[in-house]
Amino acid sequence: MLKVNGLCKQYGPQVLFEEVSFSLTPGEKIGLVGRNGHGKSTLFKIILGQEEPDSGEVASVRGRIFERGGRGNEALAEYQRAVALNPSDTSSRGRLVSVAMNLRRYDVAEPQLRMLLKLRYQPARTHFALGRVAEARGDRATAAAEYRRALALDPGLLQARQALSAIGGR
């Protein structure tokens, strides 16, 4: 998902755009039409992170760009912005968790996972991820409990079964 909120850009006295806001979902297609010199290319440069707006935010797409470019901390910040703009966006929240886990930022991942549970987003996988966080922190008892919760919700979740077995929780 791409979320643009309140973008403004001007060069000197020339205002290219003010308070541009929109969101696009994966697979959605749009067209951008305008006269030469009125900000179409500048808007795309801002979305891609090649240029900064005077004000406003672009969330989510930049996170993926940074993530693919190996810029994990920047991706983390972008996904945090995306979640702040749209707290019910489970896709951005899930990407935020993924990046946080890869960076071993369990302090960031855990509250996001708890919110995903409240949003009822893939509860078995979310409990599994909470087990991974607990295991990384050395809390085997909590990890085992989370893996068991995941298996209770989805008995076929092989990853949870293997993780539980690996820590001796059967």
Side-chain angles (χ1 to χ4, degrees):
M1 175 177 227
L2 169 64
K3 188 104 168 138
V4 173
N5 190 30
L7 286 186
C8 298
K9 184 67 176 183
Q10 69 181 59
Y11 293 110
Q14 183 178 0
V15 176
L16 294 180
F17 44 83
E18 290 183 290
E19 296 299 319
V20 172
S21 297
F22 61 90
S23 63
L24 297 172
T25 58
E28 193 172 7
K29 294 173 178 60
I30 63 160
L32 187 59
V33 180
R35 296 172 61 192
N36 289 344
H38 284 218
K40 298 179 301 295
S41 294
T42 301
L43 176 61
F44 283 109
K45 286 177 184 175
I46 290 170
I47 289 170
L48 293 172
Q50 297 171 353
E51 195 166 321
E52 289 297 316
D54 294 333
S55 62
E57 296 182 298
V58 177
S60 195
V61 137
R62 280 191 191 176
R64 286 199 187 265
I65 291 167
F66 290 145
E67 195 176 344
R68 288 182 183 143
R71 297 163 61 185
N73 287 320
E74 291 164 286
L76 189 71
E78 288 299 325
Y79 288 130
Q80 286 173 314
R81 273 194 274 285
V83 167
L85 284 171
N86 185 0
S88 63
D89 178 4
T90 56
S91 176
S92 291
R93 198 174 293 275
R95 295 303 318 151
L96 172 57
V97 167
S98 177
V99 170
M101 295 288 280
N102 287 337
L103 293 172
R104 293 182 172 88
R105 290 289 311 275
Y106 306 118
D107 60 313
V108 174
E110 186 175 10
Q112 298 304 323
L113 288 164
R114 299 220 178 275
M115 182 55 73
L116 285 170
L117 282 177
K118 286 182 182 177
L119 294 169
R120 295 187 170 94
Y121 179 76
Q122 297 184 357
R125 292 194 175 278
T126 302
H127 279 293
F128 171 73
L130 282 166
R132 285 289 191 210
V133 168
E135 190 174 350
R137 290 181 169 162
D139 185 350
R140 293 172 51 145
T142 300
E146 290 295 350
Y147 295 147
R148 285 187 190 99
R149 285 185 191 104
L151 286 168
L153 292 165
D154 181 358
L157 189 58
L158 184 60
Q159 294 169 309
R161 188 169 309 288
Q162 290 170 336
L164 186 58
S165 177
I167 63 170
R170 295 221 178 265

